[in-house]
Each structure stands twice: as structure tokens, then as C-alpha cells.
Amino acid sequence: MNAATSTDPAGSPPEVHLYHIAYSAATRDALPAGYHLLDNLDSGRDDWREYWPMRNFLLTQPLDEEAFYGFFSPRFHEKTGLSADYVTQFVQSKPADVHTFSPQPDMGAFFLNVFEQEDLFQAGFIQSTEAFLSSFGIDVQLRSLVMDSRNIVFSNYLVARPAFWRAWLDINEKLFAICEGPESALRAEFTADTAYPGAVQRKVFLMERIASLLLALQPQWRVNAYNTFACAWSGSRLNQFKMEAVLSDALKIAMREQGFPEYQQAFAALRDKLR
């Protein structure tokens, strides 16, 4: 990596702790070099997928406030092509609170935000999510919220300081309380099975979008985003339109920075050509 290394006030680079989430003997034995093992073999709560081991770690382990932590599924290298050494160098290369490594650039670029993207596959996802967020005072119109490659991150492929992980955990614990609590309309919505292989519950797809929500709504977080277009594209037909994805993302960046209606019109026209 050519970038200069970011250092703490003492002059040394920040520590980076990367964890490989193992949910089977095969994924445990395939621990990549440079990762700590986060063993989830005997969790008994596969319904929460990666949130269960991440939650347990963040609730029980002492954290260094100046260090960085990342929790990756076994498919991280497959989806990004990155080694632990490269991730560490990238994190240490630039001062930031959050470093993102998001795959599926077409899924990020061709939708206004990650909630609109999921609503295509799970009708009603936006409505349920807005009701959930409103239940504790976050009132946001998700159909008009613009996200771009600087704040979109799929699969929780990020490395961040504890302050960000606490903010992430706070919202997800509210979701956890609803889904583990008494019967309610929201509980029924988010514990419903989806068509995703393995009948993954809807709550998992919301959990995986909380990081993007925080980065889009809270500008205090400094973000260093790895080039999403260098990562694996989705398995949908949208992966054919690479140039259009780059242009769509650039238009969304312009929409957030300038807000001129012409940018939104151009984005809508470009996207309509793909429908």
C-alpha cells in the first residue's frame, strides 16, 4: 500500500483486531492467516446469524478505545479478495473511525439506498424498518434517503473503533429486544422467514443495514471506504452494467453533496433504462 500509515499520538499505528466467524468445523478449520477465531459453532441461535457472536463479543470483551475491530464471515476473502494483512494496512493508512469493504457494488449503486434495495426482495421492508426506527425516535424517510459508496456497507464488512460498534450495537439491541420480547406486530414482521436460502429471518437483513444507516445519518463518523467496484458483484443481472453502476454511484454522491435536482433526474433516467 502506498498510503502513509496513520499513527496514534504516541507515533505507533493503531492496533487492528480481525475476527473470523466460524459456524462449522470446516469454517473453523479454514481460519485465514491474520485472524482471530470467533467461534460460533455451539451458539444454538443460528436465527441471528453473525449478530449472535458479534453481540456476545461486544457485550463481554474489554475493548481498546483506540484500536479497530472487524468481524467477518468466512466468505470475506471470496467477496473482497482481501487478506488480513491488506485490511490491516488499509485501516492503518488513513485516519478514520470506520473503514468499509463492501461487496456487491451494483446492489449499492442502482438503488437509492440499502433499504430500497432490500424492499425489492422483501416487499414491506421499508415500512417495517421505518416503524421500528420510529419506535425509539429515529424518524427518517427511507424512500428518499440517498446513500452512496462512502456509506454503504453490506454484510457488516467493516473495521471500526469501539465507539462506532457501540452505536451499532445500541440500535441492534433494540431490534433484539423486540424480536426476543412479547408478541407484537414488529416482532412478527422481523421474525418472519424470507425466501433467502435457509429461511433467514427478516431481522438479519435489517441488522446488516444498521451500519449503513448510521454512516448516512451521522456525519460525525469519519469513513475510509475501500473501492467497492474492486469487490465481487452480485449474482443478479445487474452485474452486467458496470459502467452504469459507476455513473449511478457518482450521481448519488453529487446528490448528497450538491443536491441539484438535475443529478436526481439523471440518476432516475439511468436507472429506468435498466428496468
Side-chain angles (χ1 to χ4, degrees):
M1 180 168 292
N2 296 323
T5 300
S6 172
T7 58
D8 63 21
S12 58
E15 292 188 7
V16 180
H17 305 284
L18 304 179
Y19 289 84
H20 168 84
I21 300 173
Y23 51 80
S24 66
T27 55
R28 179 192 60 200
D29 296 342
L31 177 68
Y35 286 89
H36 305 288
L37 179 66
L38 190 55
D39 194 330
N40 194 42
L41 270 68
D42 300 318
S43 75
R45 292 306 305 270
D46 189 51
D47 57 309
W48 281 103
R49 294 302 196 269
E50 282 87 5
Y51 184 64
W52 190 257
M54 293 169 71
R55 174 181 189 267
N56 290 339
F57 183 94
L58 293 170
L59 288 175
T60 63
Q61 298 300 310
L63 303 178
D64 178 352
E65 294 301 314
E66 298 304 317
F68 290 87
Y69 297 82
F71 310 93
F72 298 144
S73 71
R75 297 185 65 191
F76 177 75
H77 182 268
E78 173 191 341
K79 291 183 177 182
T80 65
L82 303 179
S83 66
D85 283 346
Y86 186 91
V87 171
T88 298
Q89 292 175 43
F90 186 85
V91 170
Q92 294 176 338
S93 72
K94 183 178 179 179
D97 304 301
V98 184
H99 304 263
T100 64
F101 307 87
S102 188
Q104 303 188 100
D106 46 335
M107 289 290 104
F110 289 129
F111 297 88
L112 206 59
N113 58 61
V114 297
F115 299 97
E116 183 188 62
Q117 179 264 337
E118 186 60 26
D119 200 75
L120 176 67
F121 300 99
Q122 295 186 55
F125 185 77
I126 284 180
Q127 182 177 351
S128 300
T129 299
E130 287 182 342
F132 163 67
L133 295 172
S134 180
S135 71
F136 57 94
I138 297 181
D139 295 311
V140 56
Q141 299 297 315
L142 294 179
R143 295 190 184 279
S144 59
L145 178 64
V146 180
M147 293 181 176
D148 58 62
S149 57
R150 299 170 300 174
N151 44 51
I152 289 175
V153 54
F154 287 115
S155 303
N156 289 317
Y157 285 176
L158 62 100
V159 181
R161 282 201 165 101
F164 181 82
W165 283 119
R166 280 194 295 271
W168 176 89
L169 183 67
D170 179 65
I171 294 180
N172 276 307
E173 281 296 275
K174 291 177 171 60
L175 177 64
F176 185 86
I178 288 172
C179 294
E180 297 292 310
E183 291 293 337
S184 68
L186 280 178
R187 184 181 189 275
E189 287 279 350
F190 287 110
T191 57
D193 291 341
T194 67
Y196 191 86
V200 179
Q201 293 184 1
R202 181 174 286 197
K203 64 191 181 188
V204 173
F205 296 95
L206 176 54
M207 177 271 295
E208 290 185 342
R209 283 161 174 74
I210 295 304
S212 299
L213 181 73
L214 287 170
L215 296 180
L217 294 183
Q218 299 180 355
Q220 71 266 29
W221 304 113
R222 298 174 300 166
V223 181
N224 180 28
Y226 178 72
N227 182 6
T228 183
F229 301 106
C231 296
W233 294 61
S234 79
S236 79
R237 70 176 187 86
L238 291 177
N239 64 23
Q240 306 169 48
F241 305 102
K242 291 181 168 55
M243 181 60 70
E244 290 86 350
V246 173
L247 294 174
S248 292
D249 184 60
L251 285 168
K252 290 198 295 178
I253 291 173
M255 288 162 65
R256 283 184 65 91
E257 292 298 319
Q258 294 283 68
F260 298 159
E262 288 79 5
Y263 291 127
Q264 185 169 4
Q265 293 162 9
F267 172 77
L270 180 59
R271 188 166 67 166
D272 285 346
K273 290 181 180 180
L274 303 179
R275 291 183 172 179

Short mmCIF file of all heavy atoms in Angstrom, two decimals, residues 171-233:
data_model
loop_
_atom_site.label_atom_id
_atom_site.label_comp_id
_atom_site.label_asym_id
_atom_site.label_seq_id
_atom_site.Cartn_x
_atom_site.Cartn_y
_atom_site.Cartn_z
N ILE A 171 -28.56 0.20 18.49
CA ILE A 171 -29.75 0.05 17.65
C ILE A 171 -30.12 -1.42 17.48
O ILE A 171 -31.29 -1.80 17.56
CB ILE A 171 -29.54 0.72 16.28
CG1 ILE A 171 -29.42 2.23 16.46
CG2 ILE A 171 -30.69 0.38 15.33
CD1 ILE A 171 -29.20 3.00 15.18
N ASN A 172 -29.12 -2.25 17.26
CA ASN A 172 -29.41 -3.67 17.08
C ASN A 172 -29.94 -4.32 18.35
O ASN A 172 -30.72 -5.28 18.27
CB ASN A 172 -28.17 -4.40 16.56
CG ASN A 172 -28.04 -4.30 15.06
OD1 ASN A 172 -28.96 -4.62 14.32
ND2 ASN A 172 -26.88 -3.84 14.59
N GLU A 173 -29.56 -3.83 19.50
CA GLU A 173 -30.12 -4.36 20.74
C GLU A 173 -31.59 -4.00 20.89
O GLU A 173 -32.36 -4.74 21.51
CB GLU A 173 -29.31 -3.87 21.95
CG GLU A 173 -28.01 -4.63 22.16
CD GLU A 173 -28.26 -6.11 22.49
OE1 GLU A 173 -28.48 -6.43 23.68
OE2 GLU A 173 -28.24 -6.95 21.56
N LYS A 174 -31.98 -2.87 20.34
CA LYS A 174 -33.40 -2.53 20.33
C LYS A 174 -34.18 -3.51 19.44
O LYS A 174 -35.29 -3.92 19.78
CB LYS A 174 -33.58 -1.09 19.86
CG LYS A 174 -33.08 -0.05 20.86
CD LYS A 174 -33.22 1.35 20.33
CE LYS A 174 -32.92 2.41 21.38
NZ LYS A 174 -31.56 2.35 21.92
N LEU A 175 -33.57 -3.86 18.32
CA LEU A 175 -34.18 -4.87 17.45
C LEU A 175 -34.21 -6.23 18.16
O LEU A 175 -35.21 -6.95 18.10
CB LEU A 175 -33.39 -4.98 16.15
CG LEU A 175 -33.84 -6.05 15.15
CD1 LEU A 175 -35.25 -5.76 14.65
CD2 LEU A 175 -32.85 -6.13 13.98
N PHE A 176 -33.12 -6.55 18.85
CA PHE A 176 -33.04 -7.81 19.59
C PHE A 176 -34.14 -7.88 20.64
O PHE A 176 -34.81 -8.92 20.80
CB PHE A 176 -31.66 -7.91 20.25
CG PHE A 176 -31.40 -9.22 20.93
CD1 PHE A 176 -30.90 -10.31 20.23
CD2 PHE A 176 -31.63 -9.37 22.30
CE1 PHE A 176 -30.65 -11.52 20.87
CE2 PHE A 176 -31.38 -10.56 22.93
CZ PHE A 176 -30.88 -11.65 22.22
N ALA A 177 -34.35 -6.79 21.37
CA ALA A 177 -35.37 -6.77 22.43
C ALA A 177 -36.77 -7.00 21.86
O ALA A 177 -37.59 -7.70 22.46
CB ALA A 177 -35.31 -5.44 23.18
N ILE A 178 -37.03 -6.43 20.70
CA ILE A 178 -38.35 -6.62 20.07
C ILE A 178 -38.52 -8.07 19.63
O ILE A 178 -39.55 -8.71 19.90
CB ILE A 178 -38.51 -5.67 18.88
CG1 ILE A 178 -38.71 -4.24 19.37
CG2 ILE A 178 -39.69 -6.09 17.99
CD1 ILE A 178 -38.68 -3.20 18.28
N CYS A 179 -37.50 -8.61 18.98
CA CYS A 179 -37.61 -9.96 18.43
C CYS A 179 -37.57 -11.04 19.51
O CYS A 179 -38.09 -12.15 19.29
CB CYS A 179 -36.49 -10.20 17.42
SG CYS A 179 -36.62 -9.18 15.93
N GLU A 180 -36.98 -10.74 20.65
CA GLU A 180 -36.93 -11.71 21.75
C GLU A 180 -38.02 -11.44 22.78
O GLU A 180 -38.17 -12.19 23.75
CB GLU A 180 -35.56 -11.63 22.45
CG GLU A 180 -34.39 -12.00 21.55
CD GLU A 180 -34.37 -13.46 21.17
OE1 GLU A 180 -34.49 -14.33 22.06
OE2 GLU A 180 -34.25 -13.76 19.96
N GLY A 181 -38.79 -10.38 22.58
CA GLY A 181 -39.79 -9.97 23.55
C GLY A 181 -41.16 -10.54 23.28
O GLY A 181 -41.33 -11.50 22.51
N PRO A 182 -42.18 -9.95 23.91
CA PRO A 182 -43.55 -10.45 23.76
C PRO A 182 -44.07 -10.25 22.34
O PRO A 182 -43.52 -9.47 21.56
CB PRO A 182 -44.34 -9.60 24.77
CG PRO A 182 -43.52 -8.36 24.95
CD PRO A 182 -42.10 -8.78 24.82
N GLU A 183 -45.14 -10.94 22.03
CA GLU A 183 -45.75 -10.84 20.71
C GLU A 183 -46.13 -9.39 20.40
O GLU A 183 -46.67 -8.68 21.24
CB GLU A 183 -47.00 -11.72 20.64
CG GLU A 183 -46.71 -13.22 20.69
CD GLU A 183 -45.98 -13.71 19.45
OE1 GLU A 183 -46.09 -13.05 18.39
OE2 GLU A 183 -45.28 -14.74 19.53
N SER A 184 -45.81 -8.98 19.19
CA SER A 184 -46.16 -7.64 18.72
C SER A 184 -46.12 -7.66 17.21
O SER A 184 -45.60 -8.59 16.59
CB SER A 184 -45.18 -6.59 19.26
OG SER A 184 -43.90 -6.77 18.68
N ALA A 185 -46.66 -6.60 16.61
CA ALA A 185 -46.66 -6.52 15.15
C ALA A 185 -45.23 -6.48 14.61
O ALA A 185 -44.90 -7.14 13.62
CB ALA A 185 -47.45 -5.30 14.70
N LEU A 186 -44.36 -5.70 15.27
CA LEU A 186 -42.97 -5.60 14.82
C LEU A 186 -42.24 -6.92 15.00
O LEU A 186 -41.44 -7.33 14.15
CB LEU A 186 -42.24 -4.48 15.56
CG LEU A 186 -42.49 -3.06 15.07
CD1 LEU A 186 -41.74 -2.05 15.93
CD2 LEU A 186 -42.08 -2.91 13.61
N ARG A 187 -42.49 -7.58 16.10
CA ARG A 187 -41.86 -8.89 16.32
C ARG A 187 -42.24 -9.86 15.21
O ARG A 187 -41.39 -10.57 14.67
CB ARG A 187 -42.26 -9.45 17.69
CG ARG A 187 -41.56 -10.76 18.03
CD ARG A 187 -42.04 -11.27 19.40
NE ARG A 187 -41.24 -12.40 19.84
CZ ARG A 187 -41.47 -13.67 19.51
NH1 ARG A 187 -42.50 -13.97 18.71
NH2 ARG A 187 -40.69 -14.64 19.95
N ALA A 188 -43.52 -9.89 14.86
CA ALA A 188 -43.98 -10.78 13.80
C ALA A 188 -43.33 -10.42 12.46
O ALA A 188 -42.95 -11.31 11.69
CB ALA A 188 -45.50 -10.70 13.69
N GLU A 189 -43.18 -9.12 12.20
CA GLU A 189 -42.57 -8.69 10.94
C GLU A 189 -41.14 -9.16 10.82
O GLU A 189 -40.72 -9.71 9.79
CB GLU A 189 -42.61 -7.16 10.85
CG GLU A 189 -43.98 -6.57 10.59
CD GLU A 189 -44.36 -6.63 9.12
OE1 GLU A 189 -43.49 -6.94 8.28
OE2 GLU A 189 -45.53 -6.36 8.81
N PHE A 190 -40.36 -8.96 11.90
CA PHE A 190 -38.92 -9.19 11.79
C PHE A 190 -38.49 -10.62 12.11
O PHE A 190 -37.34 -10.98 11.86
CB PHE A 190 -38.16 -8.18 12.64
CG PHE A 190 -38.17 -6.80 12.04
CD1 PHE A 190 -38.89 -5.77 12.63
CD2 PHE A 190 -37.50 -6.53 10.86
CE1 PHE A 190 -38.93 -4.51 12.06
CE2 PHE A 190 -37.53 -5.28 10.28
CZ PHE A 190 -38.25 -4.26 10.88
N THR A 191 -39.37 -11.43 12.64
CA THR A 191 -39.04 -12.84 12.84
C THR A 191 -39.64 -13.72 11.75
O THR A 191 -39.53 -14.95 11.81
CB THR A 191 -39.51 -13.33 14.22
OG1 THR A 191 -40.93 -13.12 14.34
CG2 THR A 191 -38.79 -12.60 15.34
N ALA A 192 -40.25 -13.11 10.76
CA ALA A 192 -40.80 -13.86 9.64
C ALA A 192 -39.66 -14.38 8.76
O ALA A 192 -38.65 -13.69 8.54
CB ALA A 192 -41.73 -12.98 8.81
N ASP A 193 -39.83 -15.60 8.27
CA ASP A 193 -38.84 -16.17 7.36
C ASP A 193 -38.91 -15.48 6.01
O ASP A 193 -39.96 -15.01 5.57
CB ASP A 193 -39.08 -17.67 7.17
CG ASP A 193 -38.79 -18.48 8.41
OD1 ASP A 193 -38.06 -17.97 9.30
OD2 ASP A 193 -39.27 -19.63 8.50
N THR A 194 -37.76 -15.41 5.33
CA THR A 194 -37.70 -14.85 3.99
C THR A 194 -37.43 -15.98 2.99
O THR A 194 -37.22 -17.13 3.36
CB THR A 194 -36.57 -13.81 3.88
OG1 THR A 194 -35.31 -14.48 4.02
CG2 THR A 194 -36.71 -12.74 4.97
N ALA A 195 -37.40 -15.62 1.73
CA ALA A 195 -37.12 -16.60 0.67
C ALA A 195 -35.63 -16.86 0.52
O ALA A 195 -35.22 -17.70 -0.27
CB ALA A 195 -37.71 -16.11 -0.65
N TYR A 196 -34.81 -16.15 1.27
CA TYR A 196 -33.36 -16.35 1.19
C TYR A 196 -33.03 -17.78 1.62
O TYR A 196 -33.64 -18.31 2.55
CB TYR A 196 -32.65 -15.35 2.10
CG TYR A 196 -31.15 -15.28 1.91
CD1 TYR A 196 -30.59 -14.46 0.94
CD2 TYR A 196 -30.30 -16.05 2.71
CE1 TYR A 196 -29.23 -14.39 0.77
CE2 TYR A 196 -28.92 -15.99 2.53
CZ TYR A 196 -28.40 -15.16 1.55
OH TYR A 196 -27.04 -15.10 1.37
N PRO A 197 -32.08 -18.44 0.95
CA PRO A 197 -31.74 -19.83 1.31
C PRO A 197 -31.48 -19.99 2.80
O PRO A 197 -30.74 -19.22 3.41
CB PRO A 197 -30.47 -20.09 0.49
CG PRO A 197 -30.62 -19.21 -0.71
CD PRO A 197 -31.29 -17.97 -0.21
N GLY A 198 -32.12 -20.99 3.40
CA GLY A 198 -32.01 -21.20 4.83
C GLY A 198 -33.11 -20.53 5.61
O GLY A 198 -33.08 -20.54 6.84
N ALA A 199 -34.08 -19.93 4.90
CA ALA A 199 -35.20 -19.25 5.56
C ALA A 199 -34.73 -18.24 6.59
O ALA A 199 -35.20 -18.19 7.72
CB ALA A 199 -36.15 -20.26 6.19
N VAL A 200 -33.76 -17.42 6.20
CA VAL A 200 -33.21 -16.40 7.10
C VAL A 200 -34.32 -15.41 7.47
O VAL A 200 -35.07 -14.96 6.61
CB VAL A 200 -32.04 -15.67 6.44
CG1 VAL A 200 -31.49 -14.59 7.38
CG2 VAL A 200 -30.95 -16.66 6.06
N GLN A 201 -34.41 -15.09 8.74
CA GLN A 201 -35.45 -14.16 9.18
C GLN A 201 -35.14 -12.72 8.76
O GLN A 201 -33.98 -12.33 8.61
CB GLN A 201 -35.63 -14.26 10.70
CG GLN A 201 -36.19 -15.60 11.16
CD GLN A 201 -36.46 -15.63 12.65
OE1 GLN A 201 -36.25 -14.66 13.37
NE2 GLN A 201 -36.95 -16.78 13.11
N ARG A 202 -36.20 -11.95 8.64
CA ARG A 202 -36.08 -10.57 8.16
C ARG A 202 -35.19 -9.73 9.06
O ARG A 202 -34.50 -8.82 8.60
CB ARG A 202 -37.48 -9.95 8.04
CG ARG A 202 -37.48 -8.53 7.52
CD ARG A 202 -38.88 -8.00 7.29
NE ARG A 202 -39.49 -8.59 6.10
CZ ARG A 202 -40.56 -8.06 5.50
NH1 ARG A 202 -41.15 -6.98 5.97
NH2 ARG A 202 -41.06 -8.63 4.42
N LYS A 203 -35.14 -10.03 10.34
CA LYS A 203 -34.34 -9.24 11.28
C LYS A 203 -32.86 -9.22 10.90
O LYS A 203 -32.17 -8.22 11.12
CB LYS A 203 -34.49 -9.81 12.70
CG LYS A 203 -33.95 -11.23 12.86
CD LYS A 203 -34.36 -11.85 14.17
CE LYS A 203 -33.80 -13.26 14.35
NZ LYS A 203 -34.34 -13.94 15.53
N VAL A 204 -32.37 -10.30 10.30
CA VAL A 204 -30.96 -10.37 9.92
C VAL A 204 -30.64 -9.34 8.85
O VAL A 204 -29.57 -8.70 8.88
CB VAL A 204 -30.61 -11.79 9.44
CG1 VAL A 204 -29.19 -11.84 8.88
CG2 VAL A 204 -30.76 -12.79 10.58
N PHE A 205 -31.55 -9.15 7.91
CA PHE A 205 -31.32 -8.20 6.83
C PHE A 205 -31.38 -6.75 7.32
O PHE A 205 -30.72 -5.87 6.76
CB PHE A 205 -32.32 -8.45 5.70
CG PHE A 205 -32.14 -9.79 5.06
CD1 PHE A 205 -32.90 -10.87 5.48
CD2 PHE A 205 -31.18 -9.99 4.09
CE1 PHE A 205 -32.73 -12.12 4.91
CE2 PHE A 205 -31.00 -11.23 3.51
CZ PHE A 205 -31.77 -12.31 3.92
N LEU A 206 -32.16 -6.50 8.36
CA LEU A 206 -32.14 -5.17 8.97
C LEU A 206 -30.85 -4.98 9.75
O LEU A 206 -30.20 -3.93 9.64
CB LEU A 206 -33.35 -4.98 9.88
CG LEU A 206 -33.39 -3.66 10.66
CD1 LEU A 206 -33.25 -2.46 9.73
CD2 LEU A 206 -34.68 -3.57 11.47
N MET A 207 -30.47 -5.99 10.54
CA MET A 207 -29.23 -5.90 11.31
C MET A 207 -28.05 -5.55 10.42
O MET A 207 -27.19 -4.73 10.76
CB MET A 207 -28.99 -7.23 12.03
CG MET A 207 -27.69 -7.33 12.81
SD MET A 207 -26.28 -7.95 11.84
CE MET A 207 -26.79 -9.62 11.45
N GLU A 208 -28.00 -6.15 9.22
CA GLU A 208 -26.87 -5.92 8.32
C GLU A 208 -26.91 -4.54 7.64
O GLU A 208 -25.96 -4.18 6.96
CB GLU A 208 -26.84 -7.01 7.25
CG GLU A 208 -26.45 -8.38 7.80
CD GLU A 208 -26.30 -9.42 6.70
OE1 GLU A 208 -26.81 -9.19 5.58
OE2 GLU A 208 -25.68 -10.46 6.97
N ARG A 209 -27.99 -3.79 7.84
CA ARG A 209 -28.10 -2.47 7.23
C ARG A 209 -27.96 -1.32 8.23
O ARG A 209 -27.99 -0.16 7.84
CB ARG A 209 -29.45 -2.36 6.47
CG ARG A 209 -29.39 -3.10 5.15
CD ARG A 209 -30.74 -3.43 4.56
NE ARG A 209 -30.56 -4.01 3.22
CZ ARG A 209 -30.11 -5.26 2.99
NH1 ARG A 209 -29.84 -6.06 4.02
NH2 ARG A 209 -29.93 -5.69 1.75
N ILE A 210 -27.79 -1.65 9.49
CA ILE A 210 -27.69 -0.60 10.51
C ILE A 210 -26.40 0.21 10.35
O ILE A 210 -26.40 1.43 10.56
CB ILE A 210 -27.78 -1.22 11.92
CG1 ILE A 210 -29.16 -1.84 12.14
CG2 ILE A 210 -27.49 -0.17 12.99
CD1 ILE A 210 -30.33 -0.90 11.93
N ALA A 211 -25.31 -0.42 9.97
CA ALA A 211 -24.06 0.32 9.79
C ALA A 211 -24.23 1.38 8.70
O ALA A 211 -23.80 2.53 8.87
CB ALA A 211 -22.92 -0.64 9.44
N SER A 212 -24.84 1.01 7.59
CA SER A 212 -25.07 1.98 6.51
C SER A 212 -25.96 3.13 6.98
O SER A 212 -25.73 4.29 6.64
CB SER A 212 -25.72 1.29 5.30
OG SER A 212 -24.89 0.28 4.79
N LEU A 213 -26.98 2.80 7.77
CA LEU A 213 -27.88 3.83 8.28
C LEU A 213 -27.11 4.83 9.14
O LEU A 213 -27.27 6.05 9.00
CB LEU A 213 -29.00 3.19 9.09
CG LEU A 213 -30.04 4.15 9.67
CD1 LEU A 213 -30.94 4.67 8.56
CD2 LEU A 213 -30.88 3.46 10.75
N LEU A 214 -26.29 4.34 10.04
CA LEU A 214 -25.51 5.22 10.91
C LEU A 214 -24.59 6.12 10.10
O LEU A 214 -24.48 7.32 10.37
CB LEU A 214 -24.69 4.39 11.90
CG LEU A 214 -25.47 3.72 13.03
CD1 LEU A 214 -24.56 2.74 13.78
CD2 LEU A 214 -26.02 4.75 14.00
N LEU A 215 -23.92 5.55 9.11
CA LEU A 215 -22.97 6.34 8.32
C LEU A 215 -23.68 7.39 7.48
O LEU A 215 -23.13 8.47 7.23
CB LEU A 215 -22.13 5.42 7.44
CG LEU A 215 -21.22 4.43 8.19
CD1 LEU A 215 -20.45 3.58 7.19
CD2 LEU A 215 -20.26 5.16 9.12
N ALA A 216 -24.90 7.08 7.04
CA ALA A 216 -25.65 8.04 6.22
C ALA A 216 -26.29 9.15 7.04
O ALA A 216 -26.41 10.28 6.57
CB ALA A 216 -26.73 7.30 5.43
N LEU A 217 -26.68 8.84 8.27
CA LEU A 217 -27.40 9.82 9.09
C LEU A 217 -26.51 10.59 10.05
O LEU A 217 -26.90 11.67 10.49
CB LEU A 217 -28.50 9.11 9.90
CG LEU A 217 -29.66 8.49 9.13
CD1 LEU A 217 -30.68 7.90 10.11
CD2 LEU A 217 -30.34 9.50 8.21
N GLN A 218 -25.35 10.05 10.38
CA GLN A 218 -24.50 10.67 11.40
C GLN A 218 -23.15 11.06 10.79
O GLN A 218 -22.22 10.24 10.74
CB GLN A 218 -24.32 9.71 12.58
CG GLN A 218 -25.62 9.34 13.27
CD GLN A 218 -25.43 8.38 14.43
OE1 GLN A 218 -24.33 7.90 14.70
NE2 GLN A 218 -26.51 8.10 15.14
N PRO A 219 -23.02 12.29 10.34
CA PRO A 219 -21.80 12.71 9.64
C PRO A 219 -20.55 12.79 10.52
O PRO A 219 -19.46 13.02 9.99
CB PRO A 219 -22.18 14.09 9.10
CG PRO A 219 -23.26 14.58 10.02
CD PRO A 219 -24.02 13.36 10.41
N GLN A 220 -20.69 12.60 11.82
CA GLN A 220 -19.51 12.69 12.67
C GLN A 220 -18.54 11.53 12.47
O GLN A 220 -17.37 11.63 12.82
CB GLN A 220 -19.90 12.76 14.15
CG GLN A 220 -20.46 11.47 14.75
CD GLN A 220 -21.96 11.42 14.70
OE1 GLN A 220 -22.58 12.00 13.81
NE2 GLN A 220 -22.58 10.74 15.66
N TRP A 221 -19.02 10.43 11.88
CA TRP A 221 -18.14 9.29 11.67
C TRP A 221 -17.27 9.51 10.44
O TRP A 221 -17.77 9.70 9.34
CB TRP A 221 -18.95 8.00 11.49
CG TRP A 221 -19.88 7.70 12.62
CD1 TRP A 221 -21.25 7.71 12.59
CD2 TRP A 221 -19.52 7.34 13.96
NE1 TRP A 221 -21.76 7.38 13.82
CE2 TRP A 221 -20.72 7.15 14.68
CE3 TRP A 221 -18.30 7.16 14.62
CZ2 TRP A 221 -20.74 6.80 16.03
CZ3 TRP A 221 -18.31 6.81 15.96
CH2 TRP A 221 -19.51 6.64 16.65
N ARG A 222 -15.96 9.50 10.64
CA ARG A 222 -15.03 9.61 9.51
C ARG A 222 -14.91 8.23 8.85
O ARG A 222 -14.61 7.25 9.54
CB ARG A 222 -13.67 10.09 9.97
CG ARG A 222 -13.65 11.47 10.61
CD ARG A 222 -12.28 11.79 11.16
NE ARG A 222 -11.89 10.81 12.18
CZ ARG A 222 -10.65 10.67 12.65
NH1 ARG A 222 -9.67 11.43 12.20
NH2 ARG A 222 -10.38 9.76 13.59
N VAL A 223 -15.11 8.18 7.54
CA VAL A 223 -15.15 6.91 6.83
C VAL A 223 -14.03 6.83 5.80
O VAL A 223 -13.77 7.79 5.06
CB VAL A 223 -16.51 6.71 6.13
CG1 VAL A 223 -16.55 5.36 5.41
CG2 VAL A 223 -17.65 6.82 7.13
N ASN A 224 -13.39 5.67 5.75
CA ASN A 224 -12.40 5.35 4.73
C ASN A 224 -12.93 4.13 3.99
O ASN A 224 -12.90 3.02 4.52
CB ASN A 224 -11.05 5.06 5.38
CG ASN A 224 -9.97 4.72 4.36
OD1 ASN A 224 -10.02 5.16 3.22
ND2 ASN A 224 -8.98 3.94 4.80
N ALA A 225 -13.45 4.33 2.79
CA ALA A 225 -14.12 3.26 2.05
C ALA A 225 -13.19 2.64 1.02
O ALA A 225 -12.66 3.34 0.14
CB ALA A 225 -15.38 3.79 1.37
N TYR A 226 -13.00 1.34 1.13
CA TYR A 226 -12.26 0.60 0.09
C TYR A 226 -13.09 0.61 -1.19
O TYR A 226 -14.33 0.64 -1.15
CB TYR A 226 -12.00 -0.83 0.56
CG TYR A 226 -11.29 -1.69 -0.46
CD1 TYR A 226 -9.94 -1.50 -0.74
CD2 TYR A 226 -11.97 -2.67 -1.16
CE1 TYR A 226 -9.29 -2.26 -1.69
CE2 TYR A 226 -11.34 -3.45 -2.11
CZ TYR A 226 -9.99 -3.24 -2.37
OH TYR A 226 -9.35 -4.00 -3.31
N ASN A 227 -12.43 0.55 -2.33
CA ASN A 227 -13.10 0.61 -3.63
C ASN A 227 -14.09 -0.54 -3.79
O ASN A 227 -13.71 -1.68 -4.07
CB ASN A 227 -12.06 0.57 -4.75
CG ASN A 227 -12.68 0.66 -6.13
OD1 ASN A 227 -13.89 0.87 -6.27
ND2 ASN A 227 -11.86 0.52 -7.16
N THR A 228 -15.37 -0.24 -3.65
CA THR A 228 -16.40 -1.27 -3.76
C THR A 228 -16.42 -1.93 -5.13
O THR A 228 -16.75 -3.11 -5.27
CB THR A 228 -17.79 -0.67 -3.45
OG1 THR A 228 -18.78 -1.69 -3.50
CG2 THR A 228 -18.16 0.44 -4.43
N PHE A 229 -16.02 -1.17 -6.18
CA PHE A 229 -16.07 -1.72 -7.54
C PHE A 229 -14.97 -2.76 -7.78
O PHE A 229 -15.03 -3.48 -8.79
CB PHE A 229 -15.96 -0.59 -8.56
CG PHE A 229 -17.06 0.43 -8.42
CD1 PHE A 229 -16.81 1.68 -7.88
CD2 PHE A 229 -18.36 0.12 -8.79
CE1 PHE A 229 -17.83 2.61 -7.74
CE2 PHE A 229 -19.39 1.04 -8.65
CZ PHE A 229 -19.12 2.29 -8.13
N ALA A 230 -14.03 -2.87 -6.87
CA ALA A 230 -12.99 -3.89 -6.96
C ALA A 230 -13.40 -5.18 -6.25
O ALA A 230 -12.67 -6.17 -6.30
CB ALA A 230 -11.68 -3.37 -6.38
N CYS A 231 -14.56 -5.16 -5.61
CA CYS A 231 -15.06 -6.34 -4.89
C CYS A 231 -16.01 -7.14 -5.79
O CYS A 231 -16.30 -6.75 -6.91
CB CYS A 231 -15.79 -5.91 -3.61
SG CYS A 231 -14.73 -5.07 -2.41
N ALA A 232 -16.48 -8.28 -5.27
CA ALA A 232 -17.37 -9.14 -6.04
C ALA A 232 -18.70 -8.45 -6.29
O ALA A 232 -19.26 -7.81 -5.40
CB ALA A 232 -17.58 -10.46 -5.30
N TRP A 233 -19.21 -8.61 -7.50
CA TRP A 233 -20.51 -8.07 -7.85
C TRP A 233 -21.58 -9.07 -7.48
O TRP A 233 -21.31 -10.22 -7.15
CB TRP A 233 -20.55 -7.73 -9.35
CG TRP A 233 -19.60 -6.60 -9.69
CD1 TRP A 233 -18.25 -6.59 -9.53
CD2 TRP A 233 -19.95 -5.32 -10.20
NE1 TRP A 233 -17.71 -5.38 -9.91
CE2 TRP A 233 -18.74 -4.58 -10.34
CE3 TRP A 233 -21.14 -4.73 -10.57
CZ2 TRP A 233 -18.71 -3.27 -10.82
CZ3 TRP A 233 -21.11 -3.43 -11.07
CH2 TRP A 233 -19.91 -2.70 -11.18
#
